[in-house]
PDB file of all heavy atoms in Angstrom:
ATOM      1  N   ARG J  68     -61.294 -44.738 -56.165  1.00  0.00           N
ATOM      2  CA  ARG J  68     -60.764 -45.763 -55.254  1.00  0.00           C
ATOM      3  C   ARG J  68     -59.452 -45.264 -54.686  1.00  0.00           C
ATOM      4  O   ARG J  68     -58.412 -45.319 -55.352  1.00  0.00           O
ATOM      5  CB  ARG J  68     -60.521 -47.076 -56.015  1.00  0.00           C
ATOM      6  CG  ARG J  68     -61.740 -47.669 -56.672  1.00  0.00           C
ATOM      7  CD  ARG J  68     -62.661 -48.295 -55.687  1.00  0.00           C
ATOM      8  NE  ARG J  68     -63.733 -49.048 -56.346  1.00  0.00           N
ATOM      9  CZ  ARG J  68     -64.867 -49.377 -55.756  1.00  0.00           C
ATOM     10  NH1 ARG J  68     -65.110 -49.002 -54.506  1.00  0.00           N
ATOM     11  NH2 ARG J  68     -65.759 -50.067 -56.424  1.00  0.00           N
ATOM     12  N   LYS J  69     -59.511 -44.787 -53.452  1.00  0.00           N
ATOM     13  CA  LYS J  69     -58.291 -44.244 -52.867  1.00  0.00           C
ATOM     14  C   LYS J  69     -57.290 -45.351 -52.519  1.00  0.00           C
ATOM     15  O   LYS J  69     -56.083 -45.172 -52.625  1.00  0.00           O
ATOM     16  CB  LYS J  69     -58.624 -43.420 -51.618  1.00  0.00           C
ATOM     17  CG  LYS J  69     -57.421 -42.680 -51.065  1.00  0.00           C
ATOM     18  CD  LYS J  69     -57.820 -41.573 -50.133  1.00  0.00           C
ATOM     19  CE  LYS J  69     -56.588 -40.888 -49.565  1.00  0.00           C
ATOM     20  NZ  LYS J  69     -55.782 -40.267 -50.644  1.00  0.00           N
ATOM     21  N   GLU J  70     -57.815 -46.516 -52.148  1.00  0.00           N
ATOM     22  CA  GLU J  70     -56.904 -47.582 -51.721  1.00  0.00           C
ATOM     23  C   GLU J  70     -56.054 -48.101 -52.876  1.00  0.00           C
ATOM     24  O   GLU J  70     -54.930 -48.548 -52.675  1.00  0.00           O
ATOM     25  CB  GLU J  70     -57.702 -48.732 -51.088  1.00  0.00           C
ATOM     26  CG  GLU J  70     -58.665 -49.438 -52.010  1.00  0.00           C
ATOM     27  CD  GLU J  70     -60.026 -48.765 -52.119  1.00  0.00           C
ATOM     28  OE1 GLU J  70     -60.149 -47.598 -51.707  1.00  0.00           O
ATOM     29  OE2 GLU J  70     -60.948 -49.398 -52.661  1.00  0.00           O
ATOM     30  N   THR J  71     -56.596 -48.006 -54.090  1.00  0.00           N
ATOM     31  CA  THR J  71     -55.828 -48.429 -55.261  1.00  0.00           C
ATOM     32  C   THR J  71     -55.420 -47.242 -56.134  1.00  0.00           C
ATOM     33  O   THR J  71     -54.847 -47.429 -57.213  1.00  0.00           O
ATOM     34  CB  THR J  71     -56.640 -49.409 -56.131  1.00  0.00           C
ATOM     35  OG1 THR J  71     -57.888 -48.812 -56.469  1.00  0.00           O
ATOM     36  CG2 THR J  71     -56.870 -50.721 -55.379  1.00  0.00           C
ATOM     37  N   THR J  72     -55.699 -46.034 -55.675  1.00  0.00           N
ATOM     38  CA  THR J  72     -55.451 -44.787 -56.428  1.00  0.00           C
ATOM     39  C   THR J  72     -55.876 -44.930 -57.879  1.00  0.00           C
ATOM     40  O   THR J  72     -55.099 -44.681 -58.822  1.00  0.00           O
ATOM     41  CB  THR J  72     -53.984 -44.324 -56.327  1.00  0.00           C
ATOM     42  OG1 THR J  72     -53.105 -45.305 -56.895  1.00  0.00           O
ATOM     43  CG2 THR J  72     -53.603 -44.058 -54.895  1.00  0.00           C
ATOM     44  N   SER J  73     -57.138 -45.327 -58.064  1.00  0.00           N
ATOM     45  CA  SER J  73     -57.622 -45.578 -59.416  1.00  0.00           C
ATOM     46  C   SER J  73     -58.958 -44.905 -59.657  1.00  0.00           C
ATOM     47  O   SER J  73     -59.688 -44.556 -58.701  1.00  0.00           O
ATOM     48  CB  SER J  73     -57.752 -47.086 -59.658  1.00  0.00           C
ATOM     49  OG  SER J  73     -58.750 -47.629 -58.817  1.00  0.00           O
ATOM     50  N   PHE J  74     -59.269 -44.738 -60.937  1.00  0.00           N
ATOM     51  CA  PHE J  74     -60.539 -44.114 -61.350  1.00  0.00           C
ATOM     52  C   PHE J  74     -60.867 -44.656 -62.735  1.00  0.00           C
ATOM     53  O   PHE J  74     -60.921 -43.929 -63.716  1.00  0.00           O
ATOM     54  CB  PHE J  74     -60.389 -42.593 -61.351  1.00  0.00           C
ATOM     55  CG  PHE J  74     -61.678 -41.822 -61.447  1.00  0.00           C
ATOM     56  CD1 PHE J  74     -62.716 -42.024 -60.545  1.00  0.00           C
ATOM     57  CD2 PHE J  74     -61.855 -40.859 -62.439  1.00  0.00           C
ATOM     58  CE1 PHE J  74     -63.888 -41.296 -60.625  1.00  0.00           C
ATOM     59  CE2 PHE J  74     -63.023 -40.124 -62.525  1.00  0.00           C
ATOM     60  CZ  PHE J  74     -64.043 -40.346 -61.612  1.00  0.00           C
ATOM     61  N   HIS J  75     -61.108 -45.956 -62.811  1.00  0.00           N
ATOM     62  CA  HIS J  75     -61.307 -46.624 -64.096  1.00  0.00           C
ATOM     63  C   HIS J  75     -62.660 -46.276 -64.690  1.00  0.00           C
ATOM     64  O   HIS J  75     -63.689 -46.288 -63.992  1.00  0.00           O
ATOM     65  CB  HIS J  75     -61.213 -48.139 -63.927  1.00  0.00           C
ATOM     66  CG  HIS J  75     -59.924 -48.592 -63.304  1.00  0.00           C
ATOM     67  ND1 HIS J  75     -58.707 -48.016 -63.590  1.00  0.00           N
ATOM     68  CD2 HIS J  75     -59.686 -49.573 -62.383  1.00  0.00           C
ATOM     69  CE1 HIS J  75     -57.766 -48.617 -62.899  1.00  0.00           C
ATOM     70  NE2 HIS J  75     -58.323 -49.557 -62.150  1.00  0.00           N
ATOM     71  N   LEU J  76     -62.667 -46.038 -65.991  1.00  0.00           N
ATOM     72  CA  LEU J  76     -63.908 -45.700 -66.701  1.00  0.00           C
ATOM     73  C   LEU J  76     -64.532 -46.974 -67.266  1.00  0.00           C
ATOM     74  O   LEU J  76     -63.829 -47.787 -67.878  1.00  0.00           O
ATOM     75  CB  LEU J  76     -63.612 -44.716 -67.835  1.00  0.00           C
ATOM     76  CG  LEU J  76     -64.814 -44.241 -68.646  1.00  0.00           C
ATOM     77  CD1 LEU J  76     -65.713 -43.344 -67.803  1.00  0.00           C
ATOM     78  CD2 LEU J  76     -64.362 -43.501 -69.906  1.00  0.00           C
ATOM     79  N   GLU J  77     -65.850 -47.133 -67.086  1.00  0.00           N
ATOM     80  CA  GLU J  77     -66.541 -48.314 -67.585  1.00  0.00           C
ATOM     81  C   GLU J  77     -67.852 -47.915 -68.245  1.00  0.00           C
ATOM     82  O   GLU J  77     -68.484 -46.932 -67.869  1.00  0.00           O
ATOM     83  CB  GLU J  77     -66.841 -49.296 -66.436  1.00  0.00           C
ATOM     84  CG  GLU J  77     -65.610 -49.855 -65.768  1.00  0.00           C
ATOM     85  CD  GLU J  77     -65.948 -50.853 -64.681  1.00  0.00           C
ATOM     86  OE1 GLU J  77     -67.075 -50.788 -64.142  1.00  0.00           O
ATOM     87  OE2 GLU J  77     -65.087 -51.682 -64.355  1.00  0.00           O
ATOM     88  N   LYS J  78     -68.225 -48.732 -69.222  1.00  0.00           N
ATOM     89  CA  LYS J  78     -69.557 -48.617 -69.817  1.00  0.00           C
ATOM     90  C   LYS J  78     -69.986 -50.014 -70.238  1.00  0.00           C
ATOM     91  O   LYS J  78     -69.212 -50.742 -70.871  1.00  0.00           O
ATOM     92  CB  LYS J  78     -69.582 -47.674 -71.005  1.00  0.00           C
ATOM     93  CG  LYS J  78     -71.004 -47.451 -71.541  1.00  0.00           C
ATOM     94  CD  LYS J  78     -71.074 -46.391 -72.617  1.00  0.00           C
ATOM     95  CE  LYS J  78     -72.529 -46.143 -73.009  1.00  0.00           C
ATOM     96  NZ  LYS J  78     -72.696 -45.119 -74.062  1.00  0.00           N
ATOM     97  N   GLY J  79     -71.214 -50.351 -69.914  1.00  0.00           N
ATOM     98  CA  GLY J  79     -71.665 -51.712 -70.143  1.00  0.00           C
ATOM     99  C   GLY J  79     -71.907 -52.065 -71.598  1.00  0.00           C
ATOM    100  O   GLY J  79     -71.750 -53.216 -72.004  1.00  0.00           O
ATOM    101  N   SER J  80     -72.274 -51.081 -72.405  1.00  0.00           N
ATOM    102  CA  SER J  80     -72.638 -51.353 -73.789  1.00  0.00           C
ATOM    103  C   SER J  80     -72.326 -50.111 -74.620  1.00  0.00           C
ATOM    104  O   SER J  80     -73.087 -49.138 -74.588  1.00  0.00           O
ATOM    105  CB  SER J  80     -74.124 -51.711 -73.882  1.00  0.00           C
ATOM    106  OG  SER J  80     -74.518 -51.896 -75.227  1.00  0.00           O
ATOM    107  N   VAL J  81     -71.210 -50.146 -75.341  1.00  0.00           N
ATOM    108  CA  VAL J  81     -70.799 -48.947 -76.081  1.00  0.00           C
ATOM    109  C   VAL J  81     -71.555 -48.835 -77.406  1.00  0.00           C
ATOM    110  O   VAL J  81     -72.021 -49.833 -77.961  1.00  0.00           O
ATOM    111  CB  VAL J  81     -69.271 -48.944 -76.335  1.00  0.00           C
ATOM    112  CG1 VAL J  81     -68.514 -48.818 -75.024  1.00  0.00           C
ATOM    113  CG2 VAL J  81     -68.837 -50.172 -77.118  1.00  0.00           C
TER     114      VAL J  81
END
Side-chain angles (χ1 to χ4, degrees):
Chain J
R68 301 286 189 200
K69 187 162 178 62
E70 63 275 15
T71 55
T72 62
S73 65
F74 193 55
H75 304 321
L76 182 69
E77 297 182 336
K78 186 173 185 180
S80 176
V81 294

